[in-house]
Amino acid sequence: MSDIEEEGQAAVPVEEPRIPITTERALGAVAMALICLISFANVVVRYVTDFSFAFTEEYSTFLMVFMTFVGAALASAGNNHIRIAVIVNRLPPAGRIFCEMLSVVATTLMFSLVIYYGGLLAWFEFQWGETSPGLGYPRWIYTIWAPMISIVVILRAWGFALRYLRAERRARLEGTAS
């Protein structure tokens, strides 16, 4: 059962993605676990020794951004993005299709900008040899993930769009056959 059916939305049932979303779920869970572990360890060490781990802020910030982009990929795959469902669900099928496709186009535009500008930022950081203030690591190793995962978000959004259009067409054909 798709996420759309589980939320009780007035939409046609959409098949599951061909490429399972278990990878995104696992990556998000690992990122969350690492954030919790790093933060907890830092609190314990700071309480016991009045000393703080220098790497916690850098790693936690990176993991939070990483987890946010992985979550965006999950939301795109399952069509769980922000919407005004009370309005969209009352539209005729053509209106719902228009809203879904508008959502995919907006997602594509937004994450294309992240790919372009995030890629430029990572390239400039690589080219200029910028390092992180806490640990002195090259900054591009943190920055490159935003454009890379943005590609996944776009692919997941378009994958959902194709599945949605197939489901709408199937529902329309079944409706006229009855």
Side-chain angles (χ1 to χ4, degrees):
M1 182 179 289
S2 75
D3 292 334
I4 289 178
E5 291 172 288
E6 290 171 4
E7 293 176 4
Q9 298 173 358
V12 295
V14 177
E15 64 194 41
E16 294 295 320
R18 287 187 184 159
I19 301 171
I21 57 175
T22 52
T23 304
E24 285 98 333
R25 284 185 177 157
L27 288 172
V30 167
M32 178 68 84
L34 287 173
I35 290 170
C36 291
L37 184 67
I38 290 168
S39 299
F40 179 73
N42 194 35
V43 167
V44 169
V45 168
R46 187 180 310 149
Y47 180 75
V48 172
T49 67
D50 284 335
F51 175 76
S52 179
F53 291 139
F55 68 89
T56 57
E57 181 184 354
E58 244 174 71
Y59 288 161
S60 294
T61 303
F62 161 72
L63 289 168
M64 186 65 72
V65 172
F66 180 83
M67 188 175 56
T68 301
F69 277 87
V70 168
L74 275 168
S76 292
N79 197 32
N80 295 321
H81 51 78
I82 297 173
R83 75 176 91 240
I84 304 173
V86 70
I87 296 171
V88 174
N89 291 345
R90 292 191 172 132
L91 293 174
R96 285 195 310 266
I97 291 171
F98 174 78
C99 288
E100 290 295 341
M101 295 306 107
L102 181 63
S103 170
V104 170
V105 168
T107 299
T108 301
L109 178 63
M110 173 62 196
F111 284 96
S112 293
L113 290 171
V114 173
I115 290 168
Y116 178 74
Y117 288 111
L120 274 179
L121 178 62
W123 172 249
F124 290 149
E125 289 175 344
F126 174 77
Q127 190 177 21
W128 295 331
E130 287 189 40
T131 58
S132 61
L135 296 173
Y137 291 159
R139 286 186 56 147
W140 67 269
I141 63 173
Y142 299 121
T143 312
I144 195 66
W145 290 98
M148 288 174 44
I149 300 175
S150 293
I151 294 169
V152 175
V153 172
I154 291 171
L155 293 173
R156 287 293 193 181
W158 282 98
F160 176 81
L162 293 174
R163 294 191 322 274
Y164 180 80
L165 290 173
R166 278 195 299 259
E168 281 287 349
R169 184 175 47 144
R170 188 172 42 248
R172 194 171 10 140
L173 291 175
E174 289 172 0
T176 58
S178 301

